[in-house]
Amino acid sequence: EVQLVESGGGLVQPGGSLRLSCAASGFTFSNYEMNWVRRAPGKGLEWVSYISSYSTTIYYADSVKGRFSISRDNADNSLYLQMNSLRAEDTAVYYCARLDYYRSGTYAMGLWGQGTLVTVSS
Amino acid sequence: EIVLTQFPGTLSLSPGERATLSCRASQSVTSSYLAWYQQKPGQAPRLVIYDASSRATGIPDRFSGSGSGTDFTLTISRLEPEDFAVYYCQQCESSPFTFGPGTKVDIK
């Protein structure tokens, strides 16, 4: 089955760290660029970070730049998000999402995991 | 940064009615990189439209997308009970890959 499964969420104190994982299965992970997207309680979707197939290109949202780090292990079919210096406003469900390319040359986030909840609170 | 604005914020309609959702970009977006997603409570987002007007796999033909430049539209021709959800537009043309704030389509 083609799927993405996130893990690693939980309760962490402000200033703390957490590492999220996303396990990919059912497809050739190394062929795909990947993203992290989050949704805070009562708010909309917010794109967090992007990584290219072989980690040569990485982007971050300004809200997490310098605190979060995206990485991947193609041999292990896994995507990661290392989150440091966490703040209350980082509380959200975090999704990993695969970037799918289409024949027209365009792309969009065609496959999503179910998400993992991160709560930053004392 | 490309800022996306969606309106209305909430659309209250009855099953069978037509829904028209708008997405406006702060600067021109190549239509190839404009997508729409549906999200229901407790579920992951689901791709509905990519390339501004192409339906994703498994999306029924009552969903259609249109637009170019800075103005894009998602239309649901006849609402089914399963269509009541929040819809987001997103641009993947340039980082940051911004989402609009969403339009909630709820049952009147």
Side-chain angles (χ1 to χ4, degrees):
Chain A
E1 182 185 1
V2 174
Q3 63 177 358
L4 297 169
V5 179
E6 301 93 338
S7 61
L11 175 63
V12 61
Q13 292 189 334
S17 298
L18 213 54
R19 189 194 197 204
L20 305 184
S21 299
C22 170
S25 59
F27 62 97
T28 305
F29 181 67
S30 60
N31 286 350
Y32 291 89
E33 299 155 41
M34 298 294 297
N35 296 268
W36 286 99
V37 176
R38 68 185 180 183
R39 184 176 185 185
K43 297 199 172 182
L45 296 174
E46 179 187 16
W47 171 81
V48 173
S49 185
Y50 157 95
I51 187 168
S52 61
S53 304
Y54 289 92
S55 307
T56 53
T57 301
I58 286 174
Y59 301 126
Y60 297 101
D62 285 347
S63 57
V64 307
K65 202 173 294 183
R67 301 186 299 121
F68 289 12
S69 176
I70 191 171
S71 62
R72 64 190 294 162
D73 183 343
N74 287 342
D76 201 32
N77 297 320
S78 293
L79 175 72
Y80 303 102
L81 187 68
Q82 177 66 43
M83 304 186 297
N84 299 328
S85 304
L86 282 161
R87 307 166 179 165
E89 54 264 35
D90 295 318
T91 295
V93 176
Y94 285 75
Y95 301 96
C96 58
R98 188 181 77 180
L99 204 62
D100 287 346
Y101 280 76
Y102 300 93
R103 276 178 290 181
S104 58
T106 187
Y107 46 82
M109 297 180 188
L111 180 67
W112 295 69
Q114 281 303 303
T116 187
L117 175 63
V118 172
T119 303
V120 185
S121 174
S122 55
Chain B
E1 173 178 332
I2 298 175
V3 177
L4 299 179
T5 303
Q6 291 186 244
F7 51 93
T10 302
L11 201 50
S12 296
L13 295 167
S14 301
E17 290 194 293
R18 181 184 186 91
T20 303
L21 289 66
S22 296
C23 174
R24 180 166 290 164
S26 60
Q27 59 193 80
S28 185
V29 174
T30 303
S31 58
S32 298
Y33 306 115
L34 194 288
W36 290 89
Y37 300 87
Q38 175 194 71
Q39 189 173 31
K40 299 177 183 179
Q43 295 187 18
R46 177 190 184 192
L47 178 65
V48 177
I49 296 286
Y50 64 92
D51 197 11
S53 60
S54 299
R55 278 187 301 277
T57 302
I59 299 300
D61 60 8
R62 63 180 180 271
F63 288 86
S64 63
S66 63
S68 64
T70 60
D71 290 291
F72 298 90
T73 300
L74 174 68
T75 302
I76 310 171
S77 60
R78 289 178 58 84
L79 283 163
E80 296 288 341
E82 61 268 27
D83 300 336
F84 291 92
V86 181
Y87 292 85
Y88 298 92
C89 58
Q90 188 210 18
Q91 65 83 21
C92 285
E93 179 162 15
S94 61
S95 177
F97 300 147
T98 44
F99 288 90
T103 291
K104 183 179 182 180
V105 180
D106 66 14
I107 300 176
K108 187 173 182 180

